[in-house]
Amino acid sequence: MPAAAVRSPLLAVCDVTMRFGGIVALDRVSFDIGEGEIVGLIGPNGAGKTTLFNCVSRLYTPNEGAVLLAGRSILGLGPHRVAALGVGRTFQNLALFSTLTVLQNVMVGIHARTHSGFLANALRLSGVRREEREMRDAAMELLAFLELTAVAHHPAAGLPFGTLKRVELARAMAGQPRLLLLDEPAGGRRAPHEPRHAGVRPGRRPRLRPQDRRGPAGDRAEEPRRDPRVSRHRWVRGLMAPLLTASDLRARYGWTRVLHGVSFDVEEGGITTILGANGAGKTTTLRAVSGLVSTEGAVHFAGRRIDGRAPEDLVRAGIAHVPEGRGTFVGLTVEENLRLGAYARRERTRGADDFERVYQYFPILRERRRQVAGTLSGGEQQMLAIARGLMLRPRLLLLDEPSLGLAPLVVREIFRIVRAVNRDQGVSVLLVEQNAAIALELADHAYVLETGRVVLAGSPAILKQDDAVRRSYLGY
Amino acid sequence: MRFRTVALSLTVVATLALAAWAGAADTPGVTATEVKIGHTNPYSGNASAYGTIGKVITAYFKKANEEGGVNGRKINFVTYDDAYSPPKTVEMVRKLVEQDQVAFVFNTLGTPTNSAIHKYMNQQKVPHLFLATGATKWGDPEHFPWTMGWQPTYQTEGKIYAQYILNNVPNAKVGILYQNDDYGKDYVKGLKDGLGDAAKKIIVMEQTYEATDATIDSQIVNLKNSGANVFYNVTIPKYAVQAIKKTHDIGWKPLHLLNNVSASVGQVMKPVGSDASRGILTTQYLKDPTDPQWKNDKGYQDWLAFMKKYYPEGNVEDAFNVYGYSAAQTMVQVLKQCGNDLSRESIMKQAASLKDFMLPMALPGIKVNTGPKDFYPIEQEQLAKFDGERWVLFGEVYDASKK
Amino acid sequence: MDIFLQQVVSGLATGGIYASLALALVMIYQATDVVNFAQGEMAMFSTYLAWSMLNAGLPYWVAFAATLALAFVGGLLIERIVIRPVENAPVLAVVIVCIGLLVILNSVAGWIYSYIQKPFPSPFPNAPIKLGNVVFGAHDLGAIGITLVVLLFLYVFFRYTTLGLAMRAAAQNPVSSRLCGVRVGWMLAIGWGLAALVGAVAGIMVAPIVFLDPNMMAGILIYAFASATLGGFTSPGGAVVGGLLVGVIENLVGTYVRFIGTELKLTVALAIIVIVLVVKPSGLFGRVVVRRV
């Protein structure tokens, strides 16, 4: 086409407006992306980033405006056609086929660009078989590139969130897209700490205690503390037995060992954090505590052994687990989500009090209480998940990556509330985080997990000064 | 004395056995001591109400065997469930003929099911006798010399109703409900043939249903709205009860002509209740076991004794148990007439040579007659009206073979 | 006009039957993602239990309540004993188990009660109701009413009770439900129990119209599937509306589309459903959960 002398950008978004009922999610958004460019879309939660992606990948149809791919409008095309034209994407919350293996999930992505039709496939023509072999090879290559070879034949269900994020990336790349839309990929990337900090070894640093040779709980009281807000309680707590003790936890997914003997304590009334990169075993550790995965080793809660017990029973014992990916009941209203949080409570007085208490911490949920949870923004869903945990009036709150995929301001707000809950209600917290900076600011005690082992433990003040921790987790 | 008796008996047995051997050498399913008969019946599925026919036949042959069998041979009756499904019937009948090696197939039930095996039986030249269906096509010795019906045909019955309408209902407007298959169409053809030129004017509406339908309410509503004052009800029992009840429920009060297929008091008339069923007309050729006029009848008493002894779990109000009993008796009569020649040709020949054979449970005056060109064993019927309790016969015995 | 009204009323009555069974199907599907092919036979069997109790001389409503209780327990046991072991098996395995259950229940009912059709009493007056020229059975009206009452009961149960909420949660997100302390396995069992109960109501309402025999539900189940699909397999209210619509469409097509007549009315009714689904794949009332991804 000689007429198209002016080179059009790869993607042109022109005056796109998207409304949900009365809510304006996108208001005349325009920008271009050229071939080979990397463009970042930045905004707090609820800014409309995901909505915009949904418009480009044609899951939504904008009310106004145009979306051009290589100069051609794609608003008349279905999502699969857009994908075939070379637009790959990942999702903020995962959208993988949980029963398929990792390899199959990636092959689905490749399938979008194969040419053999349904009939040829059904007849298993030789060309199709060759194509399928090539697809498999290409997929394995991609998995190797993203360090996923080990889990290639594992079903997507049951893998840690971070790994799944990479699988999703692999699937998006499998289509050999010209344009790759990555929705909050940060949650899925391995923390930037290559090479592994070989310097951190048990025994080398006297003030960072290797977890394996942990002394009596009282020891830790000697460690210096910079945070006056928490040090007040230290002396009292130091004399008491921990609320939760995990010793030598070992777990595996299929043939892959994930935990190699993890031990840690959670003090009554305190905030304990477990830091670590993706794939370190943080989530599995929490799942082991709340009974979702079976483990070897022992877990004691409030003086009683609880490993091997069902999650339903542990909830009744007072352990509230806010899982990764929030675990919101997206089809239920906010209020119904909260009602479920109180489901396991023995006393039948789950009245207005509890709602009031929770709404005080999360006023936005009061406004949204009749809304279906699936329509909340990511930050609101995280708040809802924590609020649901609080409805149990738990003794111990397990939080799995509450910062995941959220804007810094929202994360800050959520952590402020967690601290308030801990202080006002005396709820002990076990927090698993990748965002080490903010977690260390909050916690009374920290553990660092690497490939299924505790490599460091100590007070946040000390960990913050550790070179390896600074390089690997804090980025300075 | 004793020795002589034994020796004599042995001689007699040996002679008989030899004779039998000679006559039966090349007929599958026939040995010196046994004749093997095949049968299919819907013991399960939508038409399983007919299942009792297979059971009563089994019981009757058991009785015959206990009384010494037929000409010294015991009847080995092999019966399979075809669920009233033609493909299944084909499968079961092929199994009977090819694996079980039966001498012949008897009283297989249903029009669509028998249609499915009609050609097969005639290609294989295996007698296909006394089918439990009234379709007209079973009496076609020229094209299908191995197939013979038993009961009065549906067309015959249709003609009787036509006669009744012409003679008794002035300004008749007939609405028809029929099952959309050969069975239903035969009934409709009989009625139309009987009505002759008047048919077009008299029949105001025809409605059909499929044997898989959930209900037939809509059809009944349409028939009522057509203004019909005669309801010609050609349905199998499952739908007959619904049709009778719905007719009653929507306040339609036509002259209700119910095909004999569903005239069972136990299966249809009783469940539906006397309010809805009173006044319905049908035709009969067998004695209704609920009719007190037969209480002291020898035929009825024998049947009742048979039921008590050989089929105690069977319902003695169910006309199907009279049906199976009578069909089995006809079969035994044919085997008796065969003597020792149980070749398939002989069996067909004897089946076509029944002369004024009287069935104890047939209505008085009704006789079984067949000939080389007459493959319709029963061709006489009488009208009956339901009085809320039982069928009351009226009018005279109508003989279709004479017209 | 009279014909039209009469056919609509008659269609609503038949549709009410489809609706009540469709409701049971949707319930199990919502709670457990299983399409229960044995639903019709479970309903049929419950109806036989009711029949036995009525025959033993129990008053109608006592037998009715007792049947519902038994059906609930029966459904619960079926889930625990038959469905539970294949819980994590592929969908096909579950379907085959359901079909096996269908055959077993059908044969056992035939064996115990014989295949002879039995009259089943209606709790409603026998006399037909007349509205102008439109006449319909009191039972038809009553059956629709009872179906609606059941629907209302279910709505209230799922919307306002904690158990109902927990059941919805368990169906949506089993892991999170466990973390809330909901015993998911039992929720599924209770779901089956409730569906069996709803099915029993359907059976007891159907039997006076089609008469009681082991195959009573065979044809109706097909229509119930059609109804549930039309209404959207995710919406109990949709199942009821779908059932009534299928009943009415089927009748009107048979009556007014002359060249089709009654012979093809089912075909045409199903074709209409297919068209609706092409336009709206989740069914008329099916929910497509709008959520941020």
Side-chain angles (χ1 to χ4, degrees), chain B residues 45 48 218 221-222 237-238 249 271, chain C residues 6-7 115 117 119 128 215 251 262:
Chain B
S48 46
S218 167
V221 168
N222 281 335
K238 180 178 167 67
D249 283 355
Chain C
Q6 183 76 62
Q7 284 294 4
Y115 287 94
Q117 307 194 68
N215 303 304
N251 275 7
T262 40

Side-chain angles (χ1 to χ4, degrees), chain C residues 122-187:
Chain C
S122 162
F124 305 105
N126 228 339
I129 297 174
K130 262 193 164 174
L131 273 180
N133 285 324
V134 181
V135 185
F136 48 92
H139 179 82
D140 297 341
L141 196 68
I144 296 175
I146 292 220
T147 306
L148 294 178
V149 167
V150 170
L151 183 66
L152 185 72
F153 159 77
L154 289 178
Y155 177 79
V156 169
F157 173 78
F158 281 112
R159 193 81 174 70
Y160 297 108
T161 69
T162 305
L163 183 59
L165 177 63
M167 287 178 66
R168 282 194 290 156
Q172 258 190 36
N173 192 335
V175 174
S176 282
S177 302
R178 297 186 73 190
L179 291 178
C180 288
V182 176
R183 298 190 195 281
V184 174
W186 276 105
M187 294 303 126

Side-chain angles (χ1 to χ4, degrees), chain B residues 196-223:
Chain B
D197 296 337
K200 276 213 176 86
K201 202 177 88 218
I202 289 181
I203 297 172
V204 293
M205 183 177 268
E206 295 177 32
Q207 294 271 306
T208 62
Y209 73 95
E210 304 294 327
T212 51
D213 281 358
T215 72
I216 39 97
D217 287 2
S218 167
Q219 286 91 325
I220 302 292
V221 168
N222 281 335
L223 287 169

Side-chain angles (χ1 to χ4, degrees), chain A residues 20 24 33 107 149 164 171 173 196 215 232 239 251-252 254 279 301 354 393 402 422 429 449:
Chain A
F20 296 105
V24 180
I33 301 176
M107 284 174 70
T149 314
L164 292 178
R171 187 179 63 184
M173 286 168 65
R196 299 237 168 92
R232 276 186 286 133
L239 301 172
R252 60 172 84 205
F301 177 69
D354 292 291
R393 288 185 181 270
N422 167 256
V429 177
L449 211 57

Side-chain angles (χ1 to χ4, degrees), chain A residues 434-458:
Chain A
Q434 247 190 118
N435 188 339
I438 192 157
L440 287 174
E441 219 169 279
L442 183 73
D444 302 322
H445 201 81
Y447 295 82
V448 177
L449 211 57
E450 241 177 58
T451 56
R453 291 182 181 81
V454 173
V455 292
L456 282 172

Side-chain angles (χ1 to χ4, degrees), chain A residues 50 313 315-316 327 330 336, chain C residues 168 172 176 179 181 183 291 293:
Chain A
T50 299
D313 296 326
V315 172
R316 286 173 173 76
V330 289
E336 286 170 336
Chain C
R168 282 194 290 156
Q172 258 190 36
S176 282
L179 291 178
R183 298 190 195 281
R291 66 171 174 220
V293 285

Side-chain angles (χ1 to χ4, degrees), chain A residues 116-347:
Chain A
S116 50
F118 171 75
L119 189 64
N121 265 304
L123 297 174
R124 311 266 322 151
L125 299 179
S126 64
V128 175
R129 279 201 300 269
R130 196 184 58 240
E131 205 168 52
E132 202 168 290
R133 208 166 43 242
E134 284 166 9
M135 261 166 72
R136 176 176 292 270
D137 293 345
M140 285 308 288
E141 208 172 294
L142 258 174
L143 291 180
F145 177 67
L146 290 166
E147 297 178 34
L148 289 166
T149 314
V151 292
H153 300 287
H154 193 287
L159 288 175
F161 193 73
T163 309
L164 292 178
K165 276 246 145 186
R166 270 182 291 151
V167 175
E168 207 185 30
L169 179 61
R171 187 179 63 184
M173 286 168 65
Q176 292 184 352
R178 297 169 67 187
L179 175 65
L180 196 52
L181 306 173
L182 303 180
D183 197 347
E184 307 277 2
R189 220 179 47 224
R190 184 176 267 283
H193 68 298
E194 329 286 340
R196 299 237 168 92
H197 39 145
V200 186
R201 289 232 188 285
R204 285 269 303 272
R205 285 150 206 276
R207 298 172 76 185
L208 298 179
R209 311 176 53 82
Q211 197 47 35
D212 326 67
R213 286 187 274 130
R214 189 181 64 233
D219 279 7
R220 243 173 263 124
E222 300 159 12
E223 287 161 7
R225 289 227 148 224
R226 297 240 172 103
D227 192 338
R229 276 169 302 186
V230 284
S231 59
R232 276 186 286 133
H233 306 293
R234 293 293 309 172
W235 302 102
V236 187
R237 269 204 320 264
L239 301 172
M240 290 163 54
L243 177 63
L244 181 90
T245 309
S247 17
D248 202 25
L249 293 184
R250 294 163 190 277
R252 60 172 84 205
Y253 289 112
W255 293 106
T256 320
R257 279 205 159 278
V258 187
L259 299 183
H260 305 265
V262 172
S263 302
F264 61 90
D265 289 345
V266 176
E267 302 286 340
E268 175 102 56
I271 298 181
T272 303
T273 185
I274 297 179
L275 306 176
N278 261 90
K282 306 187 300 296
T283 293
T284 310
T285 305
L286 281 198
R287 287 184 179 179
V289 169
S290 65
L292 282 176
V293 295
S294 57
T295 50
E296 297 161 45
V299 183
H300 285 85
F301 177 69
R304 290 166 68 184
R305 185 153 179 180
I306 60 164
D307 51 284
R309 292 181 57 189
E312 295 89 330
D313 296 326
L314 296 182
V315 172
R316 286 173 173 76
I319 299 179
H321 183 165
V322 179
E324 65 179 346
R326 299 149 198 163
T328 325
F329 298 97
V330 289
L332 304 183
T333 66
V334 168
E335 206 168 69
E336 286 170 336
N337 269 277
L338 294 178
R339 270 169 68 196
L340 280 166
Y343 179 80
R345 294 251 305 277
R346 278 204 192 84
E347 72 276 31

